Amino acid sequence: FTIGLVVINDDGTPTLDPVTGSQLEAYTNDHIQSFARAWTGFDRAKSRGNIEQDNSSSNRIDPMKIVPKWRDPFPKADLDDGFIGDRYMLCADLPAKSFLKEGAQYKLLGGSPLPELMEDPSEFANMEYSVLRAELSSSSALYDKLHNEGSYQLNVVLDADLDCFGVECQVETLRVVKVGMVYYEFVERPCVQLGFYNNGKQIMLRQNSRAGTMCANPDLFAAREACCREDRYKEVRNAWMETGVTYFYEGERMTYHSAKDRCVNYGRDLCLYENVMVRPSDDKWRKGYHWTNKDCRIYVKVNKEGDVAIVHDVSSTYVDNIPYHVEEENTLNWFRVFWNEGIYPGSSETNSCAVHGCKTMESDGSCLCKTTVTDRVVFTDLPSVSKEAVMSQLFVGTLGPQDGSTETTSIDGVSVHMVGGVIDINTVFEIDDKGRKFYLKNMLSTVGLEGWTMPPQIYEAEDATLSFSTIKQSSSSTGGFYVEPGTNSSAYIEWDVEVPSAGLYLVSFRYALDKGPKRLDIEVNGDAIMQQPVNQEATIVSYGSSPPAEKFPLQRCEGDCDDDDHCE
């Protein structure tokens, strides 16, 4: 396609730069780079028998399919100083059980249970396996719409909201549903997942040693349950899923809060687990990404040009288990953002990383900063509302007016829907522009950057002052080495840490113990700030699942407890 080289006015004349008088270019190399990323991740559809083709397996008839792991997932700037996806609703704002709401779409798959617009394991289609499917009851209103008395339609759009029945009431979203002997794929309405959010929760793959540890928005269907209590050693080692109890169809996704509720009802909770196991059949294809109870944050790296790369600040217990595209040292996925007044960390010597409290990356000189998302009301009164003002200042869409809204008279082609007659964050602006109808939230979402009083630093044990401790090699340790403290009571590891000023600082330790509990005290400037009990026998000896209660009475649930009856 082509859009021409210069921006033109409605009468066809070139638009001129008000300062230089030269013609405005329609796009730049930055736009080309951004748009090119929108075309990543495509692969040809699988071949089928009812089309003519050469001897290859390439299907050149059907639309190409997006392969998620090949896709560039980051924001992409458009030609109008905004982003592709502006004015679409947020996925986090989708109505509850959107698959039952008016406008929900379903695509006929026929006899195959594998979706065409999403990706599921091929084992889901293997009839030799026991696969839990979202099979609709014949008493369901959704079943009636899709079954259509046996006259199945290629595409079905719900013309009204439906009540849930059976499995529909137990889940937050659907992927593929079985209707009689055929399958339909639920096609979610277009929505945007923001790259920046507050209150993130860590997700991991079935083994936390795998490269999949990331930070996720807890309000999205980003992962699954993995039930365990963090004070139970065996549960942390192997978190549980149970077919038909903690999940209701293979591949089900849910929000963090739903995953937590499922596990609490199961008698457990969420935790930072080691492995995930499925009852009764522990097949790896039944697993995916799973929620943990660990908080996480979104950081950014800012380069000299003002482009940013997203970094996930997550807890890593293994080397290389954070995907490179969100890992602090390795990510090169830079994208354009729009800075207030064009000022950003590292933009000049007087506006350096250190001025903002951000960390200077040794590898490329970029600035690593924390992020915070702030939402604020844009319009506070009716006189300030106009079509131009709304289209230039509101970028977050919504499904429609809020419940309880009343529509005012149209102002400059804009219908204002207010709740209680007040213009606030619940106000929705309805507008027609270039043949499209938009519902826009009265909200501007801004990403702010924060630094640290002292930028984060990593201190390796092998670089510290050691007493009665040994440096050993290991490929799984950062830097390739680790320190094994000796059993001598005088053994210690000591770091010299300089801080800019007296105060409270967050310190965390990464360590591994192979042979049960070990006494470790922490001192700062010679003063003990954490000291474990001196009782060597109770601390070092592991009694497994049968501790002698008469000798070691436990509070709930203090110690290594694996069952409720182990605790007093």
Side-chain angles (χ1 to χ4, degrees):
F1 64 92
T2 179
I3 58 173
L5 298 178
V6 297
V7 181
I8 59 174
N9 299 311
D10 290 339
D11 61 3
T13 59
T15 302
L16 304 180
D17 188 302
V19 177
T20 65
S22 59
Q23 296 180 355
L24 289 178
E25 294 181 341
Y27 58 89
T28 66
N29 284 336
D30 289 336
H31 292 117
I32 295 173
Q33 184 181 47
S34 179
F35 285 1
R37 290 173 173 166
W39 297 103
T40 59
F42 286 92
D43 194 14
R44 295 194 183 278
K46 293 181 179 179
S47 60
R48 51 188 172 91
N50 59 340
I51 58 175
E52 293 183 4
Q53 60 186 37
D54 56 24
N55 293 328
S56 70
S57 59
S58 297
N59 180 338
R60 300 179 182 273
I61 302 296
D62 296 327
M64 297 184 75
K65 180 179 179 180
I66 292 177
V67 181
K69 62 185 177 182
W70 297 353
R71 183 78 170 166
D72 181 286
F74 299 107
K76 299 163 184 66
D78 62 19
L79 293 174
D80 301 314
D81 292 336
F83 291 93
I84 299 174
D86 279 353
R87 301 186 181 89
Y88 282 92
M89 72 177 303
L90 303 182
C91 297
D93 290 342
L94 286 168
K97 299 192 183 299
S98 61
F99 58 89
L100 292 174
K101 303 300 182 183
E102 180 182 353
Q105 299 183 51
Y106 289 84
K107 175 182 174 67
L108 180 64
L109 299 174
S112 171
L114 296 179
E116 295 180 355
L117 303 178
M118 299 179 283
E119 191 172 35
D120 276 341
S122 60
E123 287 84 355
F124 285 12
N126 191 328
M127 299 307 171
E128 295 181 3
Y129 294 124
S130 175
V131 179
L132 180 62
R133 307 193 189 281
E135 184 168 0
L136 302 185
S137 167
S138 59
S139 300
S140 159
L142 179 59
Y143 176 94
D144 288 340
K145 287 289 184 181
L146 300 179
H147 185 262
N148 194 32
E149 297 182 347
S151 179
Y152 299 106
Q153 302 297 307
L154 292 178
N155 293 283
V156 178
V157 179
L158 300 187
D159 54 8
D161 292 352
L162 303 179
D163 292 329
C164 69
F165 187 90
V167 67
E168 304 156 22
C169 301
Q170 298 173 301
V171 300
E172 289 185 298
T173 189
L174 291 173
R175 293 173 67 82
V176 173
V177 294
K178 186 177 182 182
V179 183
M181 298 302 293
V182 304
Y183 297 89
Y184 274 93
E185 178 178 3
F186 169 55
V187 183
E188 186 61 87
R189 66 197 74 214
C191 62
V192 172
Q193 297 185 11
L194 296 180
F196 299 94
Y197 41 85
N198 299 326
N199 306 315
K201 287 293 184 179
Q202 185 165 317
I203 60 175
M204 302 189 301
L205 290 171
R206 67 179 188 273
Q207 295 172 321
N208 70 9
S209 58
R210 292 180 171 271
T213 300
M214 294 186 287
C215 191
N217 186 335
D219 296 325
L220 296 179
F221 310 130
R224 313 185 60 183
E225 84 289 3
C227 301
C228 52
R229 288 166 288 188
E230 60 185 9
D231 61 347
R232 306 294 177 95
Y233 172 78
K234 289 183 178 179
E235 293 181 14
V236 172
R237 279 288 189 185
N238 293 299
W240 281 105
M241 302 166 57
E242 186 163 344
T243 305
V245 179
T246 64
Y247 71 94
F248 301 105
Y249 63 88
E250 305 295 351
E252 182 187 359
R253 272 73 161 172
M254 61 197 74
T255 63
Y256 167 82
H257 308 285
S258 181
K260 182 176 177 65
D261 290 344
R262 298 265 186 101
C263 288
V264 169
N265 292 335
Y266 189 59
R268 296 191 175 191
D269 204 330
L270 299 176
C271 76
L272 197 68
Y273 58 81
E274 182 77 13
N275 302 289
V276 176
M277 300 188 72
V278 184
R279 290 176 171 172
S281 299
D282 187 36
D283 303 298
K284 64 181 181 181
W285 50 266
R286 300 182 193 272
K287 310 167 190 178
Y289 279 98
H290 302 267
W291 291 105
T292 75
N293 63 348
K294 189 69 175 178
D295 295 334
C296 56
R297 289 192 66 166
I298 302 298
Y299 291 174
V300 290
K301 292 200 299 186
V302 185
N303 66 16
K304 299 299 182 182
E305 290 74 35
D307 296 336
V308 305
I310 289 177
V311 172
H312 286 194
D313 177 43
V314 292
S315 297
S316 171
T317 53
Y318 288 88
V319 175
D320 294 336
N321 66 337
I322 303 174
Y324 274 20
H325 67 282
V326 290
E327 201 275 329
E328 179 178 319
E329 294 291 342
N330 292 289
T331 180
L332 297 174
N333 292 76
W334 303 100
F335 59 89
R336 182 186 179 194
V337 295
F338 304 98
W339 297 95
N340 290 342
E341 301 179 359
I343 299 174
Y344 53 87
S347 59
S348 66
E349 292 184 2
T350 58
N351 199 38
S352 64
C353 303
V355 168
H356 295 269
C358 298
K359 175 183 176 180
T360 301
M361 301 297 296
E362 294 183 1
S363 57
D364 56 12
S366 61
C367 302
L368 178 71
C369 310
K370 296 184 285 187
T371 68
T372 301
V373 179
T374 304
D375 298 331
R376 68 172 180 85
V377 172
V378 177
F379 296 98
T380 57
D381 54 55
L382 289 176
S384 61
V385 175
S386 67
K387 181 175 181 179
E388 181 181 358
V390 168
M391 292 300 291
S392 63
Q393 298 183 62
L394 300 183
F395 306 98
V396 179
T398 185
L399 192 59
Q402 295 278 344
D403 291 340
S405 295
T406 56
E407 180 182 343
T408 69
T409 56
S410 178
I411 302 174
D412 190 30
V414 181
S415 297
V416 185
H417 301 271
M418 297 181 292
V419 177
V422 178
I423 295 186
D424 56 16
I425 201 164
N426 295 312
T427 301
V428 173
F429 296 90
E430 180 183 347
I431 191 169
D432 288 297
D433 185 68
K434 299 177 181 178
R436 288 182 57 192
K437 183 183 290 291
F438 295 96
Y439 290 99
L440 302 176
K441 298 179 71 171
N442 187 24
M443 181 187 80
L444 181 66
S445 187
T446 305
V447 179
L449 301 190
E450 299 177 352
W452 294 266
T453 303
M454 178 180 176
Q457 300 181 47
I458 296 177
Y459 296 85
E460 298 286 358
E462 59 267 24
D463 298 329
T465 300
L466 306 178
S467 174
F468 295 100
S469 302
T470 306
I471 298 176
K472 296 188 175 183
Q473 281 188 295
S474 172
S475 59
S476 64
S477 301
T478 54
F481 298 91
Y482 71 96
V483 170
E484 183 176 282
T487 57
N488 191 294
S489 60
S490 298
Y492 64 79
I493 305 172
E494 182 178 85
W495 294 272
D496 290 328
V497 180
E498 294 185 7
V499 296
S501 60
L504 295 176
Y505 293 85
L506 176 64
V507 179
S508 59
F509 293 88
R510 176 180 174 178
Y511 63 94
L513 298 174
D514 276 343
K515 300 177 181 179
K518 182 179 181 66
R519 172 179 172 168
L520 296 171
D521 302 335
I522 300 175
E523 297 182 355
V524 176
N525 295 332
D527 297 326
I529 62 170
M530 189 190 85
Q531 193 166 26
Q532 294 187 353
V534 180
N535 188 333
Q536 287 288 92
E537 183 181 13
T539 302
I540 292 180
V541 178
S542 175
Y543 290 96
S545 61
S546 302
E550 70 280 0
K551 294 185 65 177
F552 302 103
L554 300 174
Q555 301 296 320
R556 181 179 180 84
C557 204
E558 180 183 272
D560 180 13
C561 306
D562 298 311
D563 295 301
D564 289 337
D565 56 7
H566 293 168
C567 306
E568 293 187 351

